[in-house]
PDB file of all heavy atoms in Angstrom:
ATOM      1  N   PHE J   1      -9.740  -7.429   2.743  1.00  0.00           N
ATOM      2  CA  PHE J   1      -8.440  -7.508   2.114  1.00  0.00           C
ATOM      3  C   PHE J   1      -8.193  -6.272   1.252  1.00  0.00           C
ATOM      4  O   PHE J   1      -7.096  -5.622   1.355  1.00  0.00           O
ATOM      5  CB  PHE J   1      -8.463  -8.767   1.216  1.00  0.00           C
ATOM      6  CG  PHE J   1      -7.117  -9.157   0.639  1.00  0.00           C
ATOM      7  CD1 PHE J   1      -6.295 -10.094   1.326  1.00  0.00           C
ATOM      8  CD2 PHE J   1      -6.726  -8.709  -0.605  1.00  0.00           C
ATOM      9  CE1 PHE J   1      -5.101 -10.497   0.756  1.00  0.00           C
ATOM     10  CE2 PHE J   1      -5.517  -9.137  -1.169  1.00  0.00           C
ATOM     11  CZ  PHE J   1      -4.673 -10.003  -0.478  1.00  0.00           C
ATOM     12  N   GLU J   2      -9.166  -5.875   0.450  1.00  0.00           N
ATOM     13  CA  GLU J   2      -9.063  -4.680  -0.355  1.00  0.00           C
ATOM     14  C   GLU J   2      -8.915  -3.387   0.498  1.00  0.00           C
ATOM     15  O   GLU J   2      -8.150  -2.507   0.211  1.00  0.00           O
ATOM     16  CB  GLU J   2     -10.242  -4.551  -1.287  1.00  0.00           C
ATOM     17  CG  GLU J   2     -10.317  -3.315  -2.069  1.00  0.00           C
ATOM     18  CD  GLU J   2      -9.274  -3.195  -3.139  1.00  0.00           C
ATOM     19  OE1 GLU J   2      -8.658  -4.229  -3.541  1.00  0.00           O
ATOM     20  OE2 GLU J   2      -8.932  -2.063  -3.555  1.00  0.00           O
ATOM     21  N   GLY J   3      -9.706  -3.371   1.598  1.00  0.00           N
ATOM     22  CA  GLY J   3      -9.715  -2.219   2.477  1.00  0.00           C
ATOM     23  C   GLY J   3      -8.352  -2.031   3.169  1.00  0.00           C
ATOM     24  O   GLY J   3      -7.867  -0.937   3.315  1.00  0.00           O
ATOM     25  N   MET J   4      -7.713  -3.131   3.589  1.00  0.00           N
ATOM     26  CA  MET J   4      -6.483  -3.078   4.244  1.00  0.00           C
ATOM     27  C   MET J   4      -5.396  -2.577   3.281  1.00  0.00           C
ATOM     28  O   MET J   4      -4.514  -1.764   3.668  1.00  0.00           O
ATOM     29  CB  MET J   4      -6.077  -4.434   4.807  1.00  0.00           C
ATOM     30  CG  MET J   4      -4.769  -4.429   5.593  1.00  0.00           C
ATOM     31  SD  MET J   4      -4.418  -6.036   6.406  1.00  0.00           S
ATOM     32  CE  MET J   4      -5.595  -5.909   7.779  1.00  0.00           C
ATOM     33  N   ILE J   5      -5.422  -3.073   2.030  1.00  0.00           N
ATOM     34  CA  ILE J   5      -4.439  -2.597   1.026  1.00  0.00           C
ATOM     35  C   ILE J   5      -4.619  -1.089   0.811  1.00  0.00           C
ATOM     36  O   ILE J   5      -3.667  -0.308   0.749  1.00  0.00           O
ATOM     37  CB  ILE J   5      -4.606  -3.380  -0.287  1.00  0.00           C
ATOM     38  CG1 ILE J   5      -4.135  -4.773  -0.122  1.00  0.00           C
ATOM     39  CG2 ILE J   5      -3.745  -2.716  -1.371  1.00  0.00           C
ATOM     40  CD1 ILE J   5      -4.342  -5.687  -1.337  1.00  0.00           C
ATOM     41  N   ALA J   6      -5.883  -0.623   0.750  1.00  0.00           N
ATOM     42  CA  ALA J   6      -6.158   0.785   0.560  1.00  0.00           C
ATOM     43  C   ALA J   6      -5.572   1.647   1.692  1.00  0.00           C
ATOM     44  O   ALA J   6      -5.073   2.767   1.448  1.00  0.00           O
ATOM     45  CB  ALA J   6      -7.667   1.028   0.422  1.00  0.00           C
ATOM     46  N   GLN J   7      -5.617   1.103   2.888  1.00  0.00           N
ATOM     47  CA  GLN J   7      -5.178   1.870   4.021  1.00  0.00           C
ATOM     48  C   GLN J   7      -3.627   2.101   4.033  1.00  0.00           C
ATOM     49  O   GLN J   7      -3.163   3.044   4.680  1.00  0.00           O
ATOM     50  CB  GLN J   7      -5.555   1.200   5.332  1.00  0.00           C
ATOM     51  CG  GLN J   7      -7.054   1.284   5.699  1.00  0.00           C
ATOM     52  CD  GLN J   7      -7.477   2.719   5.909  1.00  0.00           C
ATOM     53  OE1 GLN J   7      -6.843   3.471   6.664  1.00  0.00           O
ATOM     54  NE2 GLN J   7      -8.556   3.121   5.274  1.00  0.00           N
ATOM     55  N   VAL J   8      -2.938   1.271   3.344  1.00  0.00           N
ATOM     56  CA  VAL J   8      -1.437   1.382   3.372  1.00  0.00           C
ATOM     57  C   VAL J   8      -0.856   1.716   1.982  1.00  0.00           C
ATOM     58  O   VAL J   8       0.344   1.665   1.788  1.00  0.00           O
ATOM     59  CB  VAL J   8      -0.781   0.092   3.931  1.00  0.00           C
ATOM     60  CG1 VAL J   8      -1.211  -0.160   5.331  1.00  0.00           C
ATOM     61  CG2 VAL J   8      -1.135  -1.120   3.006  1.00  0.00           C
ATOM     62  N   SER J   9      -1.735   2.056   1.036  1.00  0.00           N
ATOM     63  CA  SER J   9      -1.329   2.426  -0.293  1.00  0.00           C
ATOM     64  C   SER J   9      -0.963   3.870  -0.428  1.00  0.00           C
ATOM     65  O   SER J   9      -1.225   4.692   0.442  1.00  0.00           O
ATOM     66  CB  SER J   9      -2.395   2.069  -1.352  1.00  0.00           C
ATOM     67  OG  SER J   9      -2.608   0.667  -1.399  1.00  0.00           O
ATOM     68  N   ALA J  10      -0.338   4.227  -1.560  1.00  0.00           N
ATOM     69  CA  ALA J  10       0.090   5.623  -1.841  1.00  0.00           C
ATOM     70  C   ALA J  10      -1.106   6.547  -1.694  1.00  0.00           C
ATOM     71  O   ALA J  10      -2.213   6.226  -2.142  1.00  0.00           O
ATOM     72  CB  ALA J  10       0.643   5.689  -3.211  1.00  0.00           C
ATOM     73  N   GLY J  11      -0.867   7.707  -1.079  1.00  0.00           N
ATOM     74  CA  GLY J  11      -1.945   8.596  -0.832  1.00  0.00           C
ATOM     75  C   GLY J  11      -2.496   8.546   0.592  1.00  0.00           C
ATOM     76  O   GLY J  11      -3.109   9.486   1.061  1.00  0.00           O
ATOM     77  N   SER J  12      -2.182   7.432   1.307  1.00  0.00           N
ATOM     78  CA  SER J  12      -2.574   7.289   2.668  1.00  0.00           C
ATOM     79  C   SER J  12      -1.425   7.762   3.573  1.00  0.00           C
ATOM     80  O   SER J  12      -0.278   7.522   3.251  1.00  0.00           O
ATOM     81  CB  SER J  12      -2.914   5.847   2.966  1.00  0.00           C
ATOM     82  OG  SER J  12      -3.031   5.624   4.387  1.00  0.00           O
ATOM     83  N   GLU J  13      -1.734   8.402   4.650  1.00  0.00           N
ATOM     84  CA  GLU J  13      -0.711   8.876   5.607  1.00  0.00           C
ATOM     85  C   GLU J  13      -0.006   7.716   6.270  1.00  0.00           C
ATOM     86  O   GLU J  13       1.101   7.892   6.776  1.00  0.00           O
ATOM     87  CB  GLU J  13      -1.301   9.765   6.649  1.00  0.00           C
ATOM     88  CG  GLU J  13      -2.359   9.116   7.526  1.00  0.00           C
ATOM     89  CD  GLU J  13      -2.985  10.059   8.524  1.00  0.00           C
ATOM     90  OE1 GLU J  13      -2.730  11.264   8.475  1.00  0.00           O
ATOM     91  OE2 GLU J  13      -3.741   9.562   9.367  1.00  0.00           O
ATOM     92  N   MET J  14      -0.604   6.523   6.148  1.00  0.00           N
ATOM     93  CA  MET J  14       0.004   5.299   6.723  1.00  0.00           C
ATOM     94  C   MET J  14       1.018   4.630   5.793  1.00  0.00           C
ATOM     95  O   MET J  14       1.757   3.742   6.231  1.00  0.00           O
ATOM     96  CB  MET J  14      -1.064   4.288   7.098  1.00  0.00           C
ATOM     97  CG  MET J  14      -2.132   4.847   8.058  1.00  0.00           C
ATOM     98  SD  MET J  14      -1.477   5.277   9.680  1.00  0.00           S
ATOM     99  CE  MET J  14      -2.950   5.863  10.468  1.00  0.00           C
ATOM    100  N   ALA J  15       1.010   4.960   4.532  1.00  0.00           N
ATOM    101  CA  ALA J  15       1.760   4.228   3.523  1.00  0.00           C
ATOM    102  C   ALA J  15       3.223   4.090   3.872  1.00  0.00           C
ATOM    103  O   ALA J  15       3.837   3.012   3.749  1.00  0.00           O
ATOM    104  CB  ALA J  15       1.578   4.865   2.141  1.00  0.00           C
ATOM    105  N   SER J  16       3.876   5.155   4.282  1.00  0.00           N
ATOM    106  CA  SER J  16       5.309   5.111   4.563  1.00  0.00           C
ATOM    107  C   SER J  16       5.637   4.380   5.850  1.00  0.00           C
ATOM    108  O   SER J  16       6.818   4.073   6.127  1.00  0.00           O
ATOM    109  CB  SER J  16       5.876   6.537   4.666  1.00  0.00           C
ATOM    110  OG  SER J  16       5.238   7.245   5.725  1.00  0.00           O
ATOM    111  N   MET J  17       4.631   4.072   6.666  1.00  0.00           N
ATOM    112  CA  MET J  17       4.873   3.405   7.987  1.00  0.00           C
ATOM    113  C   MET J  17       4.806   1.905   7.866  1.00  0.00           C
ATOM    114  O   MET J  17       5.105   1.209   8.870  1.00  0.00           O
ATOM    115  CB  MET J  17       3.863   3.930   8.992  1.00  0.00           C
ATOM    116  CG  MET J  17       3.889   5.441   9.185  1.00  0.00           C
ATOM    117  SD  MET J  17       2.530   6.023  10.193  1.00  0.00           S
ATOM    118  CE  MET J  17       2.852   5.182  11.734  1.00  0.00           C
ATOM    119  N   VAL J  18       4.316   1.329   6.769  1.00  0.00           N
ATOM    120  CA  VAL J  18       4.135  -0.091   6.687  1.00  0.00           C
ATOM    121  C   VAL J  18       4.962  -0.633   5.512  1.00  0.00           C
ATOM    122  O   VAL J  18       4.672  -0.315   4.299  1.00  0.00           O
ATOM    123  CB  VAL J  18       2.595  -0.398   6.447  1.00  0.00           C
ATOM    124  CG1 VAL J  18       2.394  -1.896   6.530  1.00  0.00           C
ATOM    125  CG2 VAL J  18       1.744   0.302   7.493  1.00  0.00           C
ATOM    126  N   SER J  19       5.892  -1.507   5.798  1.00  0.00           N
ATOM    127  CA  SER J  19       6.741  -2.047   4.740  1.00  0.00           C
ATOM    128  C   SER J  19       6.056  -3.138   3.931  1.00  0.00           C
ATOM    129  O   SER J  19       4.988  -3.598   4.340  1.00  0.00           O
ATOM    130  CB  SER J  19       8.025  -2.599   5.400  1.00  0.00           C
ATOM    131  OG  SER J  19       7.686  -3.811   6.116  1.00  0.00           O
ATOM    132  N   TYR J  20       6.706  -3.570   2.899  1.00  0.00           N
ATOM    133  CA  TYR J  20       6.193  -4.586   2.018  1.00  0.00           C
ATOM    134  C   TYR J  20       5.949  -5.861   2.818  1.00  0.00           C
ATOM    135  O   TYR J  20       4.890  -6.529   2.737  1.00  0.00           O
ATOM    136  CB  TYR J  20       7.176  -4.862   0.897  1.00  0.00           C
ATOM    137  CG  TYR J  20       6.773  -5.952  -0.079  1.00  0.00           C
ATOM    138  CD1 TYR J  20       6.050  -5.649  -1.235  1.00  0.00           C
ATOM    139  CD2 TYR J  20       7.132  -7.277   0.138  1.00  0.00           C
ATOM    140  CE1 TYR J  20       5.703  -6.649  -2.132  1.00  0.00           C
ATOM    141  CE2 TYR J  20       6.796  -8.293  -0.771  1.00  0.00           C
ATOM    142  CZ  TYR J  20       6.050  -7.924  -1.859  1.00  0.00           C
ATOM    143  OH  TYR J  20       5.692  -8.944  -2.727  1.00  0.00           O
ATOM    144  N   ASP J  21       6.948  -6.235   3.600  1.00  0.00           N
ATOM    145  CA  ASP J  21       6.791  -7.493   4.399  1.00  0.00           C
ATOM    146  C   ASP J  21       5.700  -7.362   5.462  1.00  0.00           C
ATOM    147  O   ASP J  21       4.996  -8.359   5.746  1.00  0.00           O
ATOM    148  CB  ASP J  21       8.117  -7.870   5.057  1.00  0.00           C
ATOM    149  CG  ASP J  21       9.146  -8.379   4.062  1.00  0.00           C
ATOM    150  OD1 ASP J  21       8.732  -8.871   2.983  1.00  0.00           O
ATOM    151  OD2 ASP J  21      10.351  -8.343   4.356  1.00  0.00           O
ATOM    152  N   GLN J  22       5.592  -6.195   6.034  1.00  0.00           N
ATOM    153  CA  GLN J  22       4.506  -5.970   7.003  1.00  0.00           C
ATOM    154  C   GLN J  22       3.149  -6.097   6.319  1.00  0.00           C
ATOM    155  O   GLN J  22       2.208  -6.660   6.929  1.00  0.00           O
ATOM    156  CB  GLN J  22       4.682  -4.594   7.686  1.00  0.00           C
ATOM    157  CG  GLN J  22       5.816  -4.556   8.703  1.00  0.00           C
ATOM    158  CD  GLN J  22       5.999  -3.169   9.220  1.00  0.00           C
ATOM    159  OE1 GLN J  22       5.988  -2.142   8.438  1.00  0.00           O
ATOM    160  NE2 GLN J  22       6.189  -3.018  10.514  1.00  0.00           N
ATOM    161  N   ARG J  23       3.035  -5.557   5.146  1.00  0.00           N
ATOM    162  CA  ARG J  23       1.779  -5.672   4.445  1.00  0.00           C
ATOM    163  C   ARG J  23       1.404  -7.095   4.179  1.00  0.00           C
ATOM    164  O   ARG J  23       0.290  -7.488   4.346  1.00  0.00           O
ATOM    165  CB  ARG J  23       1.822  -4.907   3.109  1.00  0.00           C
ATOM    166  CG  ARG J  23       2.073  -3.406   3.274  1.00  0.00           C
ATOM    167  CD  ARG J  23       2.160  -2.681   1.958  1.00  0.00           C
ATOM    168  NE  ARG J  23       2.668  -1.331   2.131  1.00  0.00           N
ATOM    169  CZ  ARG J  23       2.511  -0.340   1.250  1.00  0.00           C
ATOM    170  NH1 ARG J  23       1.887  -0.606   0.081  1.00  0.00           N
ATOM    171  NH2 ARG J  23       2.980   0.856   1.471  1.00  0.00           N
ATOM    172  N   ARG J  24       2.386  -7.866   3.737  1.00  0.00           N
ATOM    173  CA  ARG J  24       2.100  -9.290   3.498  1.00  0.00           C
ATOM    174  C   ARG J  24       1.705  -9.992   4.761  1.00  0.00           C
ATOM    175  O   ARG J  24       0.732 -10.813   4.734  1.00  0.00           O
ATOM    176  CB  ARG J  24       3.392  -9.943   2.874  1.00  0.00           C
ATOM    177  CG  ARG J  24       3.197 -11.444   2.535  1.00  0.00           C
ATOM    178  CD  ARG J  24       4.431 -11.962   1.858  1.00  0.00           C
ATOM    179  NE  ARG J  24       5.649 -11.588   2.536  1.00  0.00           N
ATOM    180  CZ  ARG J  24       6.142 -12.242   3.626  1.00  0.00           C
ATOM    181  NH1 ARG J  24       5.460 -13.281   4.135  1.00  0.00           N
ATOM    182  NH2 ARG J  24       7.236 -11.898   4.184  1.00  0.00           N
ATOM    183  N   ARG J  25       2.363  -9.715   5.852  1.00  0.00           N
ATOM    184  CA  ARG J  25       2.027 -10.376   7.154  1.00  0.00           C
ATOM    185  C   ARG J  25       0.585  -9.913   7.594  1.00  0.00           C
ATOM    186  O   ARG J  25      -0.169 -10.743   8.164  1.00  0.00           O
ATOM    187  CB  ARG J  25       3.057 -10.055   8.192  1.00  0.00           C
ATOM    188  CG  ARG J  25       4.377 -10.780   7.964  1.00  0.00           C
ATOM    189  CD  ARG J  25       5.233 -10.766   9.214  1.00  0.00           C
ATOM    190  NE  ARG J  25       5.580  -9.402   9.662  1.00  0.00           N
ATOM    191  CZ  ARG J  25       6.672  -8.719   9.259  1.00  0.00           C
ATOM    192  NH1 ARG J  25       7.500  -9.274   8.417  1.00  0.00           N
ATOM    193  NH2 ARG J  25       6.878  -7.497   9.710  1.00  0.00           N
ATOM    194  N   LEU J  26       0.302  -8.672   7.463  1.00  0.00           N
ATOM    195  CA  LEU J  26      -0.990  -8.119   7.836  1.00  0.00           C
ATOM    196  C   LEU J  26      -2.111  -8.833   7.034  1.00  0.00           C
ATOM    197  O   LEU J  26      -3.132  -9.240   7.613  1.00  0.00           O
ATOM    198  CB  LEU J  26      -1.078  -6.649   7.623  1.00  0.00           C
ATOM    199  CG  LEU J  26      -0.390  -5.765   8.673  1.00  0.00           C
ATOM    200  CD1 LEU J  26      -0.296  -4.306   8.182  1.00  0.00           C
ATOM    201  CD2 LEU J  26      -1.085  -5.827  10.006  1.00  0.00           C
ATOM    202  N   LEU J  27      -1.893  -8.992   5.795  1.00  0.00           N
ATOM    203  CA  LEU J  27      -2.921  -9.630   4.950  1.00  0.00           C
ATOM    204  C   LEU J  27      -3.095 -11.089   5.242  1.00  0.00           C
ATOM    205  O   LEU J  27      -4.204 -11.616   5.282  1.00  0.00           O
ATOM    206  CB  LEU J  27      -2.578  -9.430   3.443  1.00  0.00           C
ATOM    207  CG  LEU J  27      -2.650  -7.999   2.925  1.00  0.00           C
ATOM    208  CD1 LEU J  27      -2.030  -7.845   1.592  1.00  0.00           C
ATOM    209  CD2 LEU J  27      -4.096  -7.515   2.884  1.00  0.00           C
ATOM    210  N   LYS J  28      -1.989 -11.782   5.505  1.00  0.00           N
ATOM    211  CA  LYS J  28      -2.052 -13.152   5.969  1.00  0.00           C
ATOM    212  C   LYS J  28      -2.740 -13.271   7.290  1.00  0.00           C
ATOM    213  O   LYS J  28      -3.587 -14.145   7.538  1.00  0.00           O
ATOM    214  CB  LYS J  28      -0.676 -13.782   5.973  1.00  0.00           C
ATOM    215  CG  LYS J  28      -0.697 -15.277   6.307  1.00  0.00           C
ATOM    216  CD  LYS J  28       0.701 -15.879   6.238  1.00  0.00           C
ATOM    217  CE  LYS J  28       0.647 -17.403   6.501  1.00  0.00           C
ATOM    218  NZ  LYS J  28       1.990 -18.005   6.423  1.00  0.00           N
ATOM    219  N   GLY J  29      -2.424 -12.323   8.184  1.00  0.00           N
ATOM    220  CA  GLY J  29      -3.012 -12.328   9.534  1.00  0.00           C
ATOM    221  C   GLY J  29      -4.553 -12.136   9.451  1.00  0.00           C
ATOM    222  O   GLY J  29      -5.272 -12.596  10.314  1.00  0.00           O
ATOM    223  N   LEU J  30      -4.960 -11.409   8.414  1.00  0.00           N
ATOM    224  CA  LEU J  30      -6.417 -11.156   8.283  1.00  0.00           C
ATOM    225  C   LEU J  30      -7.120 -12.531   8.077  1.00  0.00           C
ATOM    226  O   LEU J  30      -8.176 -12.784   8.686  1.00  0.00           O
ATOM    227  CB  LEU J  30      -6.641 -10.306   7.048  1.00  0.00           C
ATOM    228  CG  LEU J  30      -8.083  -9.917   6.661  1.00  0.00           C
ATOM    229  CD1 LEU J  30      -8.691  -9.115   7.797  1.00  0.00           C
ATOM    230  CD2 LEU J  30      -8.058  -9.106   5.380  1.00  0.00           C
ATOM    231  N   PHE J  31      -6.551 -13.357   7.225  1.00  0.00           N
ATOM    232  CA  PHE J  31      -7.152 -14.673   7.014  1.00  0.00           C
ATOM    233  C   PHE J  31      -7.078 -15.530   8.283  1.00  0.00           C
ATOM    234  O   PHE J  31      -8.060 -16.183   8.680  1.00  0.00           O
ATOM    235  CB  PHE J  31      -6.432 -15.417   5.865  1.00  0.00           C
ATOM    236  CG  PHE J  31      -6.806 -14.986   4.510  1.00  0.00           C
ATOM    237  CD1 PHE J  31      -6.247 -13.816   3.936  1.00  0.00           C
ATOM    238  CD2 PHE J  31      -7.770 -15.658   3.786  1.00  0.00           C
ATOM    239  CE1 PHE J  31      -6.568 -13.426   2.645  1.00  0.00           C
ATOM    240  CE2 PHE J  31      -8.106 -15.261   2.498  1.00  0.00           C
ATOM    241  CZ  PHE J  31      -7.540 -14.123   1.945  1.00  0.00           C
ATOM    242  N   GLU J  32      -5.937 -15.542   8.903  1.00  0.00           N
ATOM    243  CA  GLU J  32      -5.777 -16.378  10.131  1.00  0.00           C
ATOM    244  C   GLU J  32      -6.701 -15.919  11.241  1.00  0.00           C
ATOM    245  O   GLU J  32      -7.307 -16.762  11.940  1.00  0.00           O
ATOM    246  CB  GLU J  32      -4.314 -16.255  10.625  1.00  0.00           C
ATOM    247  CG  GLU J  32      -3.280 -16.837   9.667  1.00  0.00           C
ATOM    248  CD  GLU J  32      -3.348 -18.353   9.591  1.00  0.00           C
ATOM    249  OE1 GLU J  32      -4.205 -18.993  10.239  1.00  0.00           O
ATOM    250  OE2 GLU J  32      -2.566 -18.921   8.785  1.00  0.00           O
ATOM    251  N   SER J  33      -6.932 -14.615  11.339  1.00  0.00           N
ATOM    252  CA  SER J  33      -7.825 -14.120  12.416  1.00  0.00           C
ATOM    253  C   SER J  33      -9.292 -14.464  12.067  1.00  0.00           C
ATOM    254  O   SER J  33     -10.068 -14.900  12.903  1.00  0.00           O
ATOM    255  CB  SER J  33      -7.659 -12.600  12.551  1.00  0.00           C
ATOM    256  OG  SER J  33      -6.389 -12.264  12.952  1.00  0.00           O
ATOM    257  N   TYR J  34      -9.680 -14.218  10.808  1.00  0.00           N
ATOM    258  CA  TYR J  34     -11.017 -14.456  10.405  1.00  0.00           C
ATOM    259  C   TYR J  34     -11.421 -15.949  10.567  1.00  0.00           C
ATOM    260  O   TYR J  34     -12.539 -16.241  10.980  1.00  0.00           O
ATOM    261  CB  TYR J  34     -11.235 -14.026   8.961  1.00  0.00           C
ATOM    262  CG  TYR J  34     -12.710 -14.150   8.504  1.00  0.00           C
ATOM    263  CD1 TYR J  34     -13.636 -13.172   8.843  1.00  0.00           C
ATOM    264  CD2 TYR J  34     -13.102 -15.228   7.714  1.00  0.00           C
ATOM    265  CE1 TYR J  34     -14.983 -13.283   8.476  1.00  0.00           C
ATOM    266  CE2 TYR J  34     -14.418 -15.316   7.313  1.00  0.00           C
ATOM    267  CZ  TYR J  34     -15.337 -14.398   7.667  1.00  0.00           C
ATOM    268  OH  TYR J  34     -16.639 -14.530   7.249  1.00  0.00           O
ATOM    269  N   TYR J  35     -10.507 -16.847  10.248  1.00  0.00           N
ATOM    270  CA  TYR J  35     -10.806 -18.279  10.276  1.00  0.00           C
ATOM    271  C   TYR J  35     -10.232 -18.969  11.571  1.00  0.00           C
ATOM    272  O   TYR J  35     -10.111 -20.149  11.615  1.00  0.00           O
ATOM    273  CB  TYR J  35     -10.193 -18.966   9.027  1.00  0.00           C
ATOM    274  CG  TYR J  35     -11.000 -18.650   7.802  1.00  0.00           C
ATOM    275  CD1 TYR J  35     -10.476 -17.804   6.790  1.00  0.00           C
ATOM    276  CD2 TYR J  35     -12.256 -19.178   7.611  1.00  0.00           C
ATOM    277  CE1 TYR J  35     -11.188 -17.505   5.649  1.00  0.00           C
ATOM    278  CE2 TYR J  35     -13.027 -18.873   6.463  1.00  0.00           C
ATOM    279  CZ  TYR J  35     -12.445 -18.058   5.483  1.00  0.00           C
ATOM    280  OH  TYR J  35     -13.186 -17.747   4.368  1.00  0.00           O
ATOM    281  N   ALA J  36      -9.943 -18.160  12.611  1.00  0.00           N
ATOM    282  CA  ALA J  36      -9.349 -18.719  13.779  1.00  0.00           C
ATOM    283  C   ALA J  36     -10.239 -19.747  14.471  1.00  0.00           C
ATOM    284  O   ALA J  36      -9.756 -20.661  15.144  1.00  0.00           O
ATOM    285  CB  ALA J  36      -8.975 -17.590  14.767  1.00  0.00           C
TER     286      ALA J  36
END
């Protein structure tokens, strides 16, 4: 969870490519995938 936030935070080249809603969905998907 922490690593995914770091990848899309300020200072990362990916930051401008991932919106707020996308970040929320990615983080939720992390849980859904891990506990699938």
Side-chain angles (χ1 to χ4, degrees):
F1 191 90
E2 175 66 23
M4 183 173 287
I5 292 177
Q7 287 296 312
V8 298
S9 292
S12 167
E13 61 183 8
M14 304 295 180
S16 62
M17 303 171 61
V18 187
S19 70
Y20 179 91
D21 288 338
Q22 286 175 316
R23 297 180 192 199
R24 181 174 49 80
R25 290 195 298 268
L26 284 168
L27 292 168
K28 185 175 182 180
L30 180 63
F31 281 83
E32 295 290 0
S33 297
Y34 184 79
Y35 288 108

